[in-house]
Amino acid sequence: MVWFRRKEKGVLTTEKKQIPDGLWQQCEQCREILYRKELEKNLYVCSKCGNHFKIRSWQYIAIILDENSFEEQDSNLQSVDPLKFKGVKKYSDQIKSAVKKTGLNEAVVTGSGKIERLPVVVAIMDFAFIGGSMGSVVGEKIARAIETAIEKKNPLIIVSASGGARMMEGAYSLMQMAKTSALLAKFSDRCGLYISILTNPTTGGVTASFSMLGDVIIAEPGALIGFAGPRVIKQTIGEDLPEGFQRSEFQLKHGFVDSIIPRTELKTKLAQIIRLLWSEGDNGSRE
Amino acid sequence: MNQFVFDFEKPIVELEKKIEEMREYAFVENVEISEEIARLEAKAQKLRQEIYAKLSRGQLYQLAKHPQRPYTLDIVERIIDDFIELHGDRRFADDPAIVAGIGMLGEKKVAIIGHQKGRSTKEKLFRNFAMPNPEGYRKALRIMKLAEKFDLPVLSFLDTPGAYPGIGAEERGQAEAVARNLFEMSHLRVPILIVVIGEGASGGALGIGVGDRIIMLENTWYSVISPEGCAAILWRDSSKFNEAADAMKVTARDLLEMGIADEIIKEPVGGAHRNYDETAQILKENITRHLNELRQFSKDELLDKRIEKYRKMGHWGEG
Ligand SMILES: [Zn+2]
């Protein structure tokens, strides 16, 4: 359970022992012990402090899409270690263990579904898969999702959760930024509606490409959102970073997100935005 | 200017020094040793070719950062006539880490954007080591939009160690600035030629790096993170950049093999830093050729091809 890995290890380890695994979960922000069932019902938002827990892609799908409406596409796409990358670990081994750990083939799940009966194409990133990093497969799956949205003339929703580009694919991973952005330009030229949802964390190459290109950009409360990671910035400037730096509220203040919406209201608001901007059969050219 | 010498360049530089001394000796003492000098010059040429043909990725990475490499404005002043530099993003400031302008490449009008490094300490600070802030990317975009309006092709020179990681940069939306450029460059209705002349570090480079063709000078690198940055993450030791450069495959030749670069432009023997004029001349010929080819396409064809180029990038399996 990742929540126990944070600071003050000693204290938490003892606490962990006292908590029956699975029944209770601790909020990593306010340390409140939460009843798991309640937490689930509250969409993994801490009832005491409002902290939005990191959640898995399938949980997000359940939160924003109508029940049983999701049809996955391209779940068979897999990373292939194109550079035969060897760092401390072999990249091919990292992929294998991520697949085993997450039950996913990659760090994004894509497909079609409905939000209050409105058709949408979604791409939902999963931070549990190598930190939600973007390599060739993430780029390709998002590109294909955009193409599906173009073809079906449906709104597109991308939920970001990523530490950035996947170093182990070198320049290929960098080029996924250009690839996804190029397809979004094509989609936009056809007047497709794209809503980008930023969750904790959204940084690096993902932020500097599709995440920041939404017609409407929504952030979950308190999410870390930025280009450079806080550690790199701190190292570069040699100063401590201001309170709340790079959080959703900071991005709202500086004009880079349209709205901060708690997870519990997200689905309703998404449907509202879609109804206001999009209509069935919108084919996208306003000429 | 004091010459900066990498270890692997030392045998060449020593031999060159010796030749120079012999010339001086021959002149001062008025002796005839031209045969001996010619022999040594042939030897030096052979040595240069041998050494530069065998450089490791780590050494090529170092060459790309050579403090005497020609920078964007060194090239612009040699190949562009009537250059007018245009400043500012009209929103916040002028970012000296990116230069932009218009001018003539031979008979043809072009718009030029590029990262700009500084040579002296003062100039380095002024240029922020070619690490742009958001206003740099927004200035570049403004000039690209100007180029689109007046139908000028865009020439973009890449040479940056990365976008600047600072508080102000984040406040002003570094990520949005880079993302917006990727988006706009993908469907800008004029030809865009990308020329990597030094360092192509990550999103900071790509932020002015989307185009119809990507050509790279021989001794340059381009990847998702610098080999030093990669080594710092993997081994907590940035001095292991050799290993990281090999792991990520960052050289011009690698990028050509990966299908990302379209062409490698040969540098004068010994590297671009040894002869700015010759480097500029070679670049001018190649840039002119590519732009002429790109002018043949209709605007729609150009955009279709451009998006298709990026659409294909990457490697994956379908299990
Ligand atoms: Zn809490």
Side-chain angles (χ1 to χ4, degrees), chain B residues 170-186:
Chain B
E170 295 291 325
E171 286 172 341
R172 299 191 295 279
Q174 188 77 288
E176 193 274 345
V178 169
R180 186 63 49 200
N181 280 13
L182 306 184
F183 182 90
E184 294 296 345
M185 292 179 93
S186 300

Side-chain angles (χ1 to χ4, degrees), chain A residues 162 199-203 220 222-226 229-230 245-248 251:
Chain A
S162 172
T199 73
N200 189 34
T202 299
T203 60
E220 283 196 344
L224 180 76
I225 300 161
F245 182 62
Q246 292 182 312
R247 295 287 161 181
S248 304
Q251 297 295 353

Side-chain angles (χ1 to χ4, degrees), chain B residues 19 22-23 25-27 30-42:
Chain B
I19 293 169
M22 283 179 73
R23 277 219 181 90
Y25 173 79
F27 179 76
N30 197 19
V31 292
E32 174 52 45
I33 47 170
S34 58
E35 231 173 80
E36 179 65 9
I37 290 174
R39 195 183 61 77
L40 281 182
E41 278 197 325

